[in-house]
Amino acid sequence: MIGAGRKLGAALVAAVLGVALLANSAQAEFGIASFDMQIAAKAAADPNRVIASPEGGQFSQAGGHPYSVITHIEWNNHPDTSTDPEFAGVPTPDADLKDTLVDLPPGFVGNPNALASCTSAELLRGGVFFQDPTECPPDSAVGIVQLRTTFAPFPNVPLFNMTPAPGSPARFGFKFAGSVVYFDTALRSGDYGIVVGPRSAAQALRITASNVTFWGQPADPRHDEQRCNPKFEMADDPLTASCQGEVGESTGPHASNVAKLPFLTMPSACTPAGRGQKWTVRSDSWQDPGNYATASLFTHEAPYAPEEGAPGEEVGTTGCSKVPFEPNFSAQATQKSAASSSGLEVGLKFPTDGLLNPDGIAQSALKKAVVTLPEGMTINPSQAEGLGVCGPSEYASASIESFGCPDTAKIGSVEVKTPLLKETIPGNVYVAKPDDPETRTKGAENPFDSLIAIYIVLREPQRGISVKIPGKVAPDPKTGQITASFDDLPQLPFESFAFKFREGPRAPLITPSTCGQFKTEADFYPWARPNEAVHTNSEFEIDQGPNNGPCPSGGVPPFHPGFSAGALNNNAGTFSPFLMRLTRSDGEQDMTKFSAVLPKGLSAKIAGVAWCPESAIELAREKTGTEEQEEQSCPANSQIGTIMAGAGVGSTLIYVPGRLYLSGPFNGAPLSVVAVVPAVAGPFDVGTVVTHVALGHDHRTARVDVEGDRSDPLPHILAGIPLNVRDIQVNVDRPGFTLNPTSCDPTQIQAAIFGSNLDFFSSADDISVPLASRFQIANCSGLDFKPKLALSLSGGTKRGQFPAFKAILTPRPGDANLNATAVRLPHSSFLEQGHIRTICTRVQFAAKACPAGSIYGHVKAWTPLLDEPLEGPVYLRSSDHKLPDMVLALNGVLDIEAVGRVDSVKGEIRASFEDLPDAPVTKVLLTMQGAKKGLIVNSRNLCGQTPKAKVKAQGHNGKPYDFAPPMKTACNGKAKRRTNSKHH
């Protein structure tokens, strides 16, 4: 025995000093000659066998705890060609082993907290020779390592549970021939299976094969004989170890003093019939580091027997029906007020008794979680302000060194506790980059190609933990109800999972708008039975109204919208931007539509302004918000102002700008305005919101109406995100567009704002709130008022003849607009009632069905507000007076009717017009038929003198102006003779 010891010592010295020379003597390429492993159900009859065959077959119970796991690896080697007869023919490695990494199946885990641990100092103490034991506590023994080297065939060496190194979840170690070898662990990226194995093995050891046994239950009394710091007996064949001494001595066998907890736990997912769990080994050499040889196998029944060839039938993990799965779920809004920004706290717990019971079965790992928040709890648009996103490259860069995602994308936090680690694993919740519809590559922005997705990134650098979990967030496109789903979750056991969205004004969620109990539904799918969901729920209560106020009575949210409007510059007759604002408070009904009646005289100069065509409007509806921002769909010359929409809850809204364009007829209205808002809020682009608003007008006064019934409804929900629009600011600020009245009488801008009541998606129960904003213009008295009126008769001048009549009104630019006028013809002109042929009834006039015979003249008016003049027939229409009214029907972009009362004052014909539009007019030309169709008959010969009319006029600023324009005739050469009674 002494001689053997000396030869062994000499061999060790030769190995250490001559490793470079030995490396050069490699006979073949480095590689793995064989790889085998067993998951033992029971103890082997002989624990000192090179690799112990399990009794009772392969252990396969999902979530169960095997007795031990044994791996055997042999590397390419060749017989020693040394001239020393002591080592002649001994297997010699083709290259020197450096690293060996074993990839465990996903879900196969070890619990280093199940036993004591040994420090590196304790493992190193005790010397550098075979005879010297370590000083590791016996209770830290977790298995046995058997090595075959050039100089030592398979001595037993205890494997200890070590204090983890920084950056590693667990560490194991052993000492052999004075060399310390550590097995460090790590989580694989992707499936998060465990990787374990020695790194940087001593080159001098010249390892050719190894057996590594991990005990499934380290405190089991059957391991007492091997739970020691062995003192080696150097016999000639083979080299063995014995645990000498009494219990309590450092080298003697020991009974464990720790709780009998399982160390190993099987995956909770079952494999298909006949298919085992895949194990992979990777090794490289000191001669070619980084170039890994690889071998894989599946767990099987037959024991390792190199001489018998391939292993037997594969057996996967079985018994999934026995695996418990008892999730304990809770979900609570952090805000108890209705219609308020809120975070969300989600908790998930699993019992750990099966994981910590050697005879138990651990809870199944969670494969998939689907959580549906209560209806009414929706995404908060306000969170988008300043919100960043985590792009694919940033998410991919997340590691133990960094979360990867930017802090601006963080919207919450996570904490995970597992019995496998003493530390709590912290993490963050990030918003993923939204999908870009223009990108055709699948998963280019996020794995789901969805508008909303989140990433949970867990990171514990001290333990080398980095776990990334993507989740899809799918709001219902009609109701906004949120469903979040996470699939293919890591097969790692945990006892608690705490998820929390941030709080504050930019919290991600909004609570329901009413008080009551609200239920969050959840479906959890276990890896053991992936198609069987466990359904559960959790309730929270909303017990107060917005801003800590009272709950809405009767379950119907209140509705007290705000409205204001007016001209920025209130000088009469000047151009000024026009502002209008609609608001509502938190917790109130959504605004569905609005109507408005603008003051008389508040007009717009649409001359020179293009119209946004319907084709451009439809194009805008199809574009993303970003596309609309980059290139506006409507012509630039059709823009008349801007719009700003504020959405969200609380004091912090997010504002999204848009443009206002003039457009043509819409839903029967003569003109319209189109609000085009690129719905880009922070990182989210939910398209382009187009709201087409119909503009009507009063035909008598030209007063403009916003016709809500003909207009598009106000936007409520986009891509499943309820907008919670609370503030709409309209600014019609095109230079020289909006013109103030010339009347300074106080008036109002009236509005009707509609609320959604109980059912937003039905207009049947909408409620209307009438509102008004005071409006008054100033400085009207500074406007002059002196219009000109030219009157003439053409045709017969003799008594009894019927001349044609023409009147030309030419107001002065800058004067107050004409409000009323009464024109009395001289005694020389009588009304010929016998020529009144046909009268248009008011019903016919309203239906635009007046008979042709009711036309007695023509009118044409020019205004600087329009590109083209308005013109049309002059009708006699039935009235409540003795004589029919004379109606000037001006048609064009807008239809205006000026109604004149016809009567006789002191024998003189009088036509009176009142309440005329407060709009600037350049010229008005009125012609009336003569001859047989003429309504005017000469009472005397007109050539004897120049008759004069009497005109009383009043401006909209209240100033009167009376004058007597001459009635020009053919007698004085001023009026041309007309023989045709019809207007050409």
Side-chain angles (χ1 to χ4, degrees), residues 146-212:
Q146 298 169 304
L147 296 181
R148 186 180 74 191
T149 70
T150 301
F151 50 85
F154 292 112
N156 290 348
V157 178
L159 181 64
F160 296 102
N161 180 39
M162 305 298 299
T163 301
S168 179
R171 169 177 269 194
F172 311 98
F174 68 93
K175 187 168 72 172
F176 179 78
S179 295
V180 171
V181 178
Y182 291 116
F183 288 52
D184 281 317
T185 58
L187 286 181
R188 286 193 303 273
S189 60
D191 64 5
Y192 299 105
I194 294 175
V195 181
V196 60
R199 295 180 181 269
S200 300
Q203 189 173 4
L205 292 178
R206 317 242 42 229
I207 300 170
T208 59
S210 73
N211 295 320
V212 178

Side-chain angles (χ1 to χ4, degrees), residues 29-36 72-76 100-101 280-284 292-296:
E29 183 179 355
F30 174 80
I32 298 172
S34 65
F35 169 46
D36 190 22
H72 169 80
I73 308 172
E74 185 170 355
W75 292 270
N76 291 343
T100 297
L101 304 175
T280 300
V281 62
R282 294 170 286 147
S283 294
D284 66 347
Y292 285 88
T294 303
S296 297

Side-chain angles (χ1 to χ4, degrees), residues 78-128:
H78 60 278
D80 184 77
T81 57
S82 172
T83 56
D84 187 340
E86 187 70 26
F87 295 100
V90 174
T92 302
D94 289 349
D96 298 314
L97 179 66
K98 181 179 182 289
D99 302 322
T100 297
L101 304 175
V102 178
D103 291 301
L104 278 61
F108 198 104
V109 297
N111 181 9
N113 293 328
L115 67 164
S117 61
C118 175
T119 66
S120 295
E122 290 171 325
L123 182 65
L124 287 167
R125 284 197 291 267
V128 295

Side-chain angles (χ1 to χ4, degrees), residues 908-919:
E908 297 176 339
I909 303 172
R910 183 176 66 179
S912 304
F913 294 86
E914 296 180 351
D915 204 15
L916 294 171
D918 188 358

Side-chain angles (χ1 to χ4, degrees), residues 636-712:
N637 190 35
S638 65
Q639 183 176 346
I640 60 172
T642 61
I643 185 171
M644 187 76 73
V649 295
S651 59
T652 308
L653 304 183
I654 184 167
Y655 282 87
V656 180
R659 296 184 176 97
L660 296 175
Y661 300 95
L662 183 67
S663 188
F666 177 65
N667 283 346
L671 286 174
S672 59
V673 170
V674 180
V676 180
V677 181
V680 180
F684 301 112
D685 183 344
V686 292
T688 300
V689 180
V690 177
T691 307
H692 210 157
V693 178
L695 297 180
H697 70 292
D698 184 283
H699 290 191
R700 290 287 307 274
T701 64
R703 184 200 63 216
V704 177
D705 300 337
V706 177
E707 300 186 347
D709 289 339
R710 297 188 186 187
S711 303
D712 289 341

Side-chain angles (χ1 to χ4, degrees), residues 19 42-43 76 132 196 220 244 298 303 317 319 350 451 473 496 507 565 590 643 729 740 746 796 824 847 884 894:
V19 69
K42 295 182 180 180
N76 291 343
D132 298 318
V196 60
D220 192 300
Q244 298 179 352
F298 293 87
T317 310
F350 285 97
L451 174 68
V473 179
S496 68
D590 277 332
I643 185 171
Q729 300 175 22
N740 284 337
R824 290 167 56 183
L894 302 174

Side-chain angles (χ1 to χ4, degrees), residues 407-473:
D407 286 342
T408 55
K410 179 181 174 181
I411 59 171
S413 61
V414 174
E415 279 192 352
V416 177
K417 293 183 180 179
T418 172
L420 307 185
L421 297 175
K422 295 178 180 178
E423 297 85 357
T424 296
I425 305 173
N428 292 329
V429 184
Y430 298 97
V431 175
K433 185 177 183 180
D435 178 60
D436 181 355
E438 298 299 315
T439 304
R440 303 302 180 188
T441 305
K442 183 176 177 59
E445 287 78 30
N446 67 67
F448 313 103
D449 290 323
S450 61
L451 174 68
I452 306 174
I454 59 176
Y455 295 136
I456 296 175
V457 181
L458 299 166
R459 175 174 166 262
E460 215 302 312
Q462 186 65 19
R463 293 285 70 85
I465 303 295
S466 176
V467 176
K468 298 181 287 186
I469 303 172
K472 181 179 181 180
V473 179

